[in-house]
Amino acid sequence: MLKNYLKIALAVLRRRKFFTFISLFGISFTLTILLVLTAFIDKVVGDNYPDKKRDRSLYVSRLSQEGKNTMSSSPPSFYFLTHYAGSLKTPVKIAISSGFNGTNTYVNNKKIAVNYKYTNAEYWDVLEYDFLEGKAFNKQQVDNGDKVAVISQDMKKEYFGDVPFVAGQYIEADNVKYRVIGVVKNVPITSYMLYSDIYLPYTVAKDGGYKTNKGYQGGYYGILLANSASDLDKMHNEYEQMVQRLPAEQKQFTKVNSHADTYIKSYVDTGNERQSGTFIVITAISIFAFILMILPTLNLVNINITRIMERSSEIGVRKAFGASSRTLVYQFIVENIILTLLGGLIGIILSIIVLKVINSANLIANLELSINFTVLFIGLLVCLVFGLLSGVYPAWRMSKLNVVTALKAQ
Amino acid sequence: MIRLQNIEKVYRTDTVETLALNKVSLEIAKGEFLSVMGPSGCGKSTLLNIIGLLDEPSKGEIRIDDQKTANLSDKQLAQFRNKKLGFIFQSYHLISDLQVLDNVELPLLYRSATARERKQLATEALAKVGLSNRVKHFPSQLSGGQKQRVAIARAIVGRPEIILADEPTGNLDSAMGNEIMDILIQLNRDEGTTIIMVTHDENMAHKTHRLVRLFDGSQVQ
């Protein structure tokens, strides 16, 4: 039976080449977009380099203060993270780092755009960067305000060229020379709390904000590390209680909000208490995926109705010789699934090409996208959903066709 | 074997009501070869479709093998047609995307038969109509007479007791028409298959056991 369906499905595909092209193009193009999108999301959310201890870490990326008619939201200050978050009992370590800042530097009269960020010494304990050479700066060096730097693999190549080792050499950023003490594997810019080209001790920050700013809000992120994953709830609650006790800094504010959340929650934190970032992101992605899928599906439904109605004589014959409506619906759905799987296969090949192009063009700093099994699985699932969605309605309409009418149509 | 009682068929549109069959009663015995004649639009094909359970009468009762066919579900009707009935159409209605052998196998797809059984039965049916050398051809590679022979092979492959043929020689020249007629007569004689054939051709009709004439939906002979 299936072999027979396969034969006829392929024959129909060959017969109407233009329709087949449109159908396959619709499916494969949509699938490519979905696959690239999921590869992107998968990389951003799923990749745990260098924060390999995600299962026992909570991230603090925002702090907001709200009043009746006003609200202020930003990352917390260095002071807040050391003084308040630092007073908590559950975290065993706190990684603190500034957001990355951009500057230009020059090598052999060539301008290089550089992003740098400041971190504390514990940052290197909490996070597990892969060191290609050298090591991180320690507490002593931070306390001393040593002008030392850890740089990324790409930065090394761009600044120093293809040399085996650079530890001990000097790199200039923002008109200051730093001694390179370590080189780490790249972190994609999408991990915005962890990405940088150059990592510097916070004590060398020119603005001295870590010293002078005693407010809650600033430009630093914190990662609280618990002893074990089972302590996460406790740490979360302790943080929440600490924040609740904080008095507002100014009269116009009545409340301080900040959360120590898991990676994904903090990644999409909007700083707005009434609208969860996670909810917004999931809704946005779902709506996008839905629209993306519904358009080619409707197109396919339309094409399928035309295609199936063209075959009404065949439907009449099959019914006359004993096919029930259900059998016919099954046959047309199988045919449709074959078509969509074929489109899926083309889509997967297209996606591999598109991802290769994105990676080689280096459109997003350090982001290496790849098709993995999760993405492939999602892709195939999407294909099947497509096949079902676009096959069921036309097949059902067709199965209701009166045999005599169907046989009269030629 | 087939019993029609006061069969009426009315086609209704918003403005017009057309009486296609008017109180037709008919009994067809097992093994009979019956031809139905009449001018175009007299209801011949409608009658055949109703006997073949492809269409429902507006009034009246049909019994096939003493079984009432009204109130059968879609699935039951499909099974009934598959087991008891075989169809031959004027315009052959072969599936152009399938080879001759696959076309002939079609009725067997809807009953429990293995691929090997299907192939064997289809090959036998094609041998009966003299087309053993055309199994791998597509319908477009065959002449009209050959197509109709494939259609006969498809109709008989499931060994139905009744064959309903709607102008089977209508699209063929007289030589090919006679060939097809000979196959049907042989089928009726040797296998005892009941055949009901709609035709416009008096010569063909006179080769059958009995002739029924319709005029304006009513039986006149």
Side-chain angles (χ1 to χ4, degrees), chain A residues 9-33 35 292 295-297 299-304 307 334-351 382-383 386-387 390:
Chain A
L10 293 178
V12 172
L13 291 185
R14 274 199 302 271
R15 184 160 42 115
R16 300 302 302 262
K17 292 192 177 69
F18 184 65
F19 270 170
T20 306
F21 168 74
I22 301 238
S23 305
L24 287 179
F25 180 78
I27 302 163
S28 52
F29 190 70
T30 310
L31 193 66
T32 305
I33 294 175
L35 279 180
L292 206 64
L295 291 178
T297 305
N299 174 33
L300 269 184
V301 168
N302 211 4
I303 288 178
N304 280 335
R307 284 175 92 126
V334 168
E335 279 186 24
N336 227 39
I337 287 178
I338 292 170
L339 176 76
T340 41
L341 283 181
L342 208 62
L345 199 69
I346 298 174
I348 288 169
I349 295 169
L350 271 180
S351 308
V382 167
C383 275
F386 258 135
S390 58

Side-chain angles (χ1 to χ4, degrees), chain A residues 1 4-5 7-8 11-12 15 311 313-314 316-328 331 399 402-404 406-410, chain B residues 11 49 54-55 74-75 78-79 81-82 85-89 91-99 102 105-107 109-110 118 151 154-155:
Chain A
M1 191 82 122
N4 192 280
Y5 291 169
K7 261 187 199 172
I8 200 144
V12 172
R15 184 160 42 115
R311 292 164 65 188
S313 151
E314 177 191 334
V317 170
R318 286 186 186 270
K319 278 195 154 185
F321 281 101
S324 64
S325 297
R326 193 191 284 188
T327 320
L328 285 173
Q331 176 193 338
S399 74
N402 177 281
V403 190
V404 178
L407 283 171
K408 271 185 192 155
Q410 276 290 4
Chain B
Y11 290 109
N49 289 335
L54 301 178
D55 209 350
D74 176 71
K75 198 177 167 188
Q79 279 173 351
R81 281 197 293 262
N82 182 261
L85 307 172
F87 295 87
I88 302 168
F89 307 100
S91 46
Y92 328 121
H93 285 307
L94 299 178
I95 299 173
S96 56
D97 294 313
L98 293 178
Q99 290 175 346
D102 293 322
E105 278 186 17
L106 187 98
L109 287 177
Y110 305 115
R118 285 203 301 265
R154 178 178 63 187

